[in-house]
Amino acid sequence: MKTSCGTVTREREQGNRRQLPDWADQFNDLMIDFWCGEMLWNISMADFSSYRVGGPAEAVIFPLGINELALLIQGLRKLDINWLVLGRGTNILVADEGLKGVVIILGRDFCSIDQTHQDAGFELVRVKGGCAMARLVNWCTDQELSGLEFAAGIPGSVGGATAMNAGAWGGQISDVLHSAIIMDSKGILHSKAGEDMNLGYRNWNEPAEMIAVETTFKLKKGEKSAIAEKCRANVSLRKKQQPMNVISCGSFFKNPAPDKPAGRLIEEAGLKGFKIGNVMVSDKHANFIINTGGATAADIVGLMRHVQNRVWRHCGIRLEPEVHLLGFTDL
Ligand SMILES: Cc1cc2nc3c(=O)[nH]c(=O)nc-3n(C[C@H](O)[C@H](O)[C@H](O)COP(=O)(O)OP(=O)(O)OC[C@H]3O[C@@H](n4cnc5c(N)ncnc54)[C@H](O)[C@@H]3O)c2cc1C
């Protein structure tokens, strides 16, 4: 399949058969005049999720920049094709049946970091949603900007961190959020002040079809060595308390209350190190559900349910997943 820029759309095949969704031709006709980005058809979501499970998405599309993203969203709306945006897939669990419609991943021009100006004593840093959080944390250290040290070691993108209100060690994105630019389901951009963003605990209270295309952080000038040391300390704490080099999405469940961490409740329910097939509750930190290799999404959901039931029976608390479950019709 050709795009207008002459690049051939890559199609990784499931088995030997090329399978395009029934909307593919219509979609291609609509996009052909402007499209320069990459599209992958019928592609395993295991390649885009740190859990390394999940069936195929009908298409994964990487718009290069804002204009292309807006045209894409408008085109998808016109053809009534479902879509969702992903960052680096470090907090998602995709069903084995896969995903209908289009997965959008912010492409090449969504990676910039710019220090803009000062506001009320803060240094403002504007970052595009596709930038890796790790890159931003390193950049801030180099620029002697303090505030994001809590995020050292959190994988994923800035857009994903904004949508998840990611956090660790008592800090979270909303603490340092100045404002954000959001694209809505019509492809229209909105600028929102941090306090109007509706970020909750690991949650963004907005309709699903909203894209965080740019986040501006409010940071303070600091000393490079102190910032670097704080980042190092946070990463070593992580290494000490959490399983490293395993296949997971980090903490699986939200903490039901600050004094009731999910990991402790799971441990008290007797499930630390508990294993079913290729999925286990970490024996280092009980809020990590690990794919030990070869697990399916159904296996992970099976252990998730088991943990929820056991904790419920043990202390009457229903654990809610922090990991976003995508494409499951029976949950
Ligand atoms: C080893 C490990 C450790 C982790 N430690 C932490 C931790 O300490 N603290 C923490 O909070 N999290 C942690 N996580 C979870 C995860 O890294 C964070 O939630 C991260 O911010 C998700 O970013 P992402 O780009 O991977 O998002 P994805 O997983 O791709 O997406 C997560 C959700 O955000 C939505 N989304 C993604 N990008 C956008 C966007 N631009 N606009 C709108 N919505 C979007 C997606 O639709 C999805 O619903 C950890 C994960 C791993 C694997």
Side-chain angles (χ1 to χ4, degrees):
M1 192 170 284
K2 290 263 185 194
T3 68
S4 58
C5 295
T7 53
V8 178
T9 305
R10 277 206 277 149
E11 295 144 15
R12 286 194 217 160
E13 291 162 18
Q14 298 284 311
N16 290 323
R17 291 174 59 86
R18 188 179 112 170
Q19 293 175 332
L20 295 180
D22 49 14
W23 49 263
D25 286 340
Q26 233 185 331
F27 177 73
N28 234 41
D29 290 347
L30 198 71
M31 299 286 120
I32 199 120
D33 288 336
F34 71 87
W35 187 256
C36 291
E38 191 180 9
M39 299 184 201
L40 305 173
W41 295 98
N42 192 27
I43 187 92
S44 168
M45 286 306 294
D47 294 349
F48 294 94
S49 160
S50 63
Y51 251 137
R52 298 195 205 152
V53 300
E58 287 185 314
V60 178
I61 299 187
F62 303 80
L64 289 179
I66 291 272
N67 290 340
E68 219 176 13
L69 177 64
L71 289 166
L72 171 64
I73 298 292
Q74 285 155 7
L76 293 171
R77 184 181 171 86
K78 197 166 174 182
L79 298 179
D80 202 20
I81 298 167
N82 289 336
W83 59 268
L84 70 91
V85 62
L86 282 189
R88 305 284 160 111
T90 63
N91 212 25
I92 55 160
L93 175 58
V94 179
D96 299 315
E97 292 71 28
L99 296 172
K100 290 274 176 223
V102 169
V103 171
I104 299 172
I105 298 182
L106 303 181
R108 189 191 69 194
D109 297 343
F110 289 97
C111 291
S112 62
I113 306 176
D114 297 297
Q115 189 163 356
T116 57
H117 58 284
Q118 290 186 329
D119 181 46
F122 288 106
E123 305 284 337
L124 300 190
V125 174
R126 198 169 52 201
V127 192
K128 290 281 195 295
C131 175
M133 202 65 211
R135 181 170 157 247
L136 175 62
V137 170
N138 289 338
W139 185 92
C140 288
T141 307
D142 286 343
Q143 303 300 314
E144 307 188 318
L145 293 172
S146 174
L148 278 166
E149 295 89 325
F150 72 86
I154 300 183
S157 66
V158 167
T162 305
M164 292 300 309
N165 195 14
W169 322 119
Q172 56 188 355
I173 293 294
S174 53
D175 300 340
V176 283
L177 180 63
H178 174 272
S179 54
I181 296 184
I182 309 301
M183 186 175 285
D184 69 16
S185 59
K186 294 178 180 158
I188 297 169
L189 293 173
H190 304 265
S191 179
K192 285 204 173 203
E195 53 275 22
D196 297 330
M197 275 287 286
N198 266 329
L199 293 182
Y201 167 55
R202 303 293 174 270
N203 185 31
W204 185 18
N205 299 307
E206 283 287 348
E209 290 184 342
M210 291 289 223
I211 304 179
V213 292
E214 186 180 286
T215 304
T216 298
F217 295 96
K218 47 181 188 185
L219 305 173
K220 291 273 187 189
K221 265 286 175 204
E223 264 193 25
K224 187 170 179 175
S225 58
I227 297 167
E229 182 44 42
K230 186 78 190 145
C231 290
R232 260 196 304 276
N234 284 340
V235 170
S236 21
L237 212 50
R238 205 172 265 279
K239 285 184 182 156
K240 204 167 144 201
Q241 295 183 2
Q242 300 174 3
M244 292 284 132
N245 304 319
V246 293
I247 305 174
S248 81
C249 270
S251 294
F252 195 95
F253 296 104
K254 293 183 183 182
N255 295 324
D259 63 337
K260 291 189 177 72
R264 200 184 72 208
L265 300 180
I266 298 166
E267 194 174 339
E268 286 170 359
L271 289 173
K272 204 171 187 182
F274 181 80
K275 196 169 177 192
I276 307 179
N278 295 325
V279 193
M280 80 179 274
V281 174
S282 165
D283 53 11
K284 191 166 181 185
H285 189 311
N287 198 16
F288 280 63
I289 292 184
I290 296 170
N291 172 1
T292 59
T296 62
D299 295 336
I300 296 171
V301 166
L303 185 55
M304 173 193 89
R305 284 198 170 117
H306 184 79
V307 170
Q308 284 174 317
N309 290 339
R310 281 279 288 269
V311 169
W312 170 254
R313 283 208 301 274
H314 180 74
C315 63
I317 292 174
R318 179 89 186 152
L319 291 178
E320 186 193 334
E322 176 180 319
V323 172
H324 285 193
L325 278 65
L326 306 176
F328 292 87
T329 46
D330 55 344
L331 290 178

